[in-house]
Amino acid sequence: MNPYCKSALHQIQVCIETLVKMINQLEEKDLLDRPSPDKHSVGELLEHIALICEADWRISNEASQEDMEVFYLSVSYQDLTSIREGLLEHFESLCSKYQNLSEKALLTETTSHWGVTYTRYEWLLQIVAHLYHHRGQLHSMLVHCGKDPGLLMFE
C-alpha cells in the first residue's frame, strides 16, 4: 500500500477508535438528544458519521446525485449497535479499496456530482477531514448535553 495512504488510513483509524469509545459510553436514549432545536440529534449525526467512509468513497468515484440519494435511502442505523457496526464495516471497506489502488489510480482526478475535482488521494484526505470535523461536533454535542466522554481525542 502507498505509504501516504497508509498514514491517512491510520489517522482515520484513530478517529474511528475514539468514535467507537464515545458510542460505547452512550445509551440508546442518548441518540435522541438534540442540543440545538434546528440541528441534528446525536443519533442523526452518528448515522451520518457511520456512512462517511462509504459515501465519500462513492462520491470520489463520481457517483451521481441520484446514486447518492438512493444509497442514503438504502441504509438506516437506528441504534448504537448498528451505528458502530456500520462505522467499522465502512472503514474496513475503505481500507480494502485504497489498498488495491495503484499510484496512477491515486493520482487520477475525479469530479463530484457538485463539480469539485480532486485526485483519489485528495479524496482520501477529504475523508480524514470530514470524519474529524464530525467527531469534533459529536464531542461538543455530548459535552453540551452533560455527557463529556473524557477521552483523549488524539494519540
Side-chain angles (χ1 to χ4, degrees), residues 9-130:
L9 289 166
H10 174 72
Q11 291 306 308
I12 292 174
Q13 180 180 2
V14 168
C15 184
I16 287 183
E17 287 172 356
T18 55
L19 283 163
V20 167
K21 288 176 184 176
M22 283 190 252
I23 291 167
N24 289 343
Q25 291 182 12
L26 298 175
E27 298 175 24
E28 295 297 331
K29 66 181 178 62
D30 297 329
L31 296 176
L32 302 175
D33 286 346
R34 187 181 305 273
S36 300
D38 58 338
K39 299 295 181 186
H40 290 300
S41 69
V42 168
E44 290 164 343
L45 178 58
L46 279 169
E47 183 175 32
H48 175 71
I49 292 169
L51 295 174
I52 289 173
C53 288
E54 180 62 26
D56 288 8
W57 167 259
R58 289 171 182 237
I59 290 166
S60 77
N61 283 282
E62 300 184 328
S64 68
Q65 183 173 354
E66 181 182 331
D67 292 338
M68 293 310 299
E69 289 169 4
V70 168
F71 168 69
Y72 289 126
L73 290 173
S74 74
V75 183
S76 178
Y77 301 132
Q78 299 299 311
D79 58 65
L80 293 167
T81 299
S82 64
I83 289 167
R84 183 176 36 253
E85 288 173 357
L87 178 67
L88 294 169
E89 175 187 329
H90 294 308
F91 170 62
E92 290 302 320
S93 176
L94 183 72
C95 289
S96 175
K97 292 168 183 167
Y98 266 93
Q99 182 175 358
N100 295 320
L101 291 180
S102 68
E103 196 78 23
K104 182 178 178 182
L106 286 170
L107 297 175
T108 299
E109 290 186 339
T110 61
T111 303
S112 69
H113 62 82
W114 63 89
V116 173
T117 301
Y118 294 135
T119 66
R120 282 205 175 87
Y121 179 70
E122 287 175 301
W123 281 113
L124 179 59
L125 297 179
Q126 180 63 30
I127 294 168
V128 173
H130 194 179

